[in-house]
Amino acid sequence: LMDPPVVAENKRFCAVCNAEVGRGRNGSPGRTKGFCAKCRTPFNFDPVLTPGMLLGGQYEVVGALAHGGMGWIYLARDRNVNDRWVVLKGLLNAGDPDATRAAIGEKQYLAEVEHPLIVEIYNFVTTADGASYIVMEYVAGVSLNQLLKDRMRANGGQFSGIPVDQAIAYIVEILPAFSYLHSLGLLYCDFKPANVIQVGDSIKLIDLGGVRRIDDDVSPIYGTVGFQAPEVAADGPSVASDLYTVARTLAMLIFEFRGY
């Protein structure tokens, strides 16, 4: 858990125009809430859910695990199923109830995804203020991104890539998950080292928040700069753009891919 749950200032960007927001000036810390100076879009980097909150009469929030492109990710206990650990990930934070219902309806197919290499989706819950969350399996392990950070720390702050044969093994092992999603007509869209968790001798693909149907040309596209294929902005995602993210991830694991 993050204690305290704070988004570093160098990671605060406007969700619409990607301009820097919430930055400190003249020695004073930046605001965690406000409006983008460039496009006036509001931003809020404070956690919406706090420990002890109960969602859907079932999920008790324990704390914040991380902050991602769609907001905070929380750890919670499922009070209806033996207090098992679950993860709550924001799906939509809007005041429009109709938009919320539509977003949940569009994501219901995620509950049907069942593969040993893919995190399981348990449920969807909506708060009183209209924010909705995906309830996911909690996967205890270390992400490939964290493995890279640990290697860098052990190497005195200098990049230390994962051995090539080991990096390729990670990628080869996760490819069946992509094959499975594509066979269902689904695209993952946001593959990167942070979304692969090593659990013992196996790995698992987490974070299905960006998954969309191949024929979907309406809903928002989620991806990460540097990993997303260049044609996605104009043509939308595809099986080919999914494979592009896989190749970029392999490059990131192996060498110091500056400017990715």
Side-chain angles (χ1 to χ4, degrees):
L1 296 175
M2 296 178 67
D3 185 20
V6 176
V7 179
E9 289 191 12
N10 63 355
K11 295 183 178 180
R12 299 176 188 173
F13 295 93
C14 175
V16 173
C17 70
N18 206 41
E20 294 182 355
V21 296
R23 306 302 171 97
R25 294 181 180 178
N26 303 321
S28 299
R31 296 180 178 179
T32 56
K33 298 179 182 178
F35 294 87
C36 173
K38 185 176 180 180
C39 69
R40 303 308 297 168
T41 299
F43 66 84
N44 182 0
F45 293 99
D46 292 334
V48 177
L49 305 181
T50 55
M53 290 182 65
L54 193 66
L55 272 66
Q58 180 173 356
Y59 306 105
E60 181 184 353
V61 177
V62 176
L65 287 172
H67 186 272
M70 285 184 281
W72 287 96
I73 301 169
Y74 305 89
L75 180 67
R77 289 189 181 93
D78 186 343
R79 289 304 190 191
N80 289 7
V81 187
N82 298 323
D83 281 348
R84 68 177 174 184
W85 297 113
V86 297
V87 170
L88 305 175
K89 180 177 177 61
L91 177 63
L92 180 70
N93 193 352
D96 185 347
D98 291 333
T100 298
R101 283 192 292 271
I104 293 176
E106 283 297 316
K107 290 292 186 180
Q108 286 291 352
Y109 58 79
L110 292 178
E112 300 174 8
V113 172
E114 187 175 350
H115 192 278
L117 297 178
I118 302 176
V119 66
E120 185 176 356
I121 303 297
Y122 294 138
N123 200 358
F124 297 85
V125 291
T126 303
T127 61
D129 61 359
S132 59
Y133 296 85
I134 303 174
V135 184
M136 301 184 293
E137 168 192 8
Y138 171 67
V139 180
V142 180
S143 72
L144 297 190
N145 190 55
Q146 187 60 50
L147 287 179
L148 282 174
K149 289 182 178 180
D150 292 343
R151 292 179 65 88
M152 180 178 288
R153 188 179 301 109
N155 196 37
Q158 299 297 313
F159 181 83
S160 175
I162 293 174
V164 175
D165 57 345
Q166 185 178 341
I168 291 175
Y170 283 133
I171 296 300
V172 169
E173 188 172 349
I174 204 66
L175 284 178
F178 281 86
S179 178
Y180 170 76
L181 289 173
H182 295 160
S183 73
L184 297 179
L186 303 176
L187 300 171
Y188 185 76
C189 296
D190 195 22
F191 188 63
K192 54 189 174 183
N195 286 346
V196 182
I197 298 289
Q198 182 177 22
V199 187
D201 295 330
S202 64
I203 60 176
K204 182 162 286 197
L205 188 62
I206 65 169
D207 191 356
L208 302 185
V211 172
R212 58 190 280 127
R213 297 186 187 277
I214 289 178
D215 59 359
D216 180 0
D217 57 3
V218 177
S219 62
I221 300 170
Y222 293 99
T224 300
V225 174
F227 294 93
Q228 190 176 76
E231 74 273 10
V232 168
D235 302 330
S238 63
V239 170
S241 66
D242 258 4
L243 292 178
Y244 183 95
T245 64
V246 172
R248 299 290 271 198
T249 295
L250 178 59
M252 281 291 298
L253 297 179
I254 294 174
F255 63 91
E256 193 168 13
F257 195 6
R258 290 188 180 276
Y260 72 95

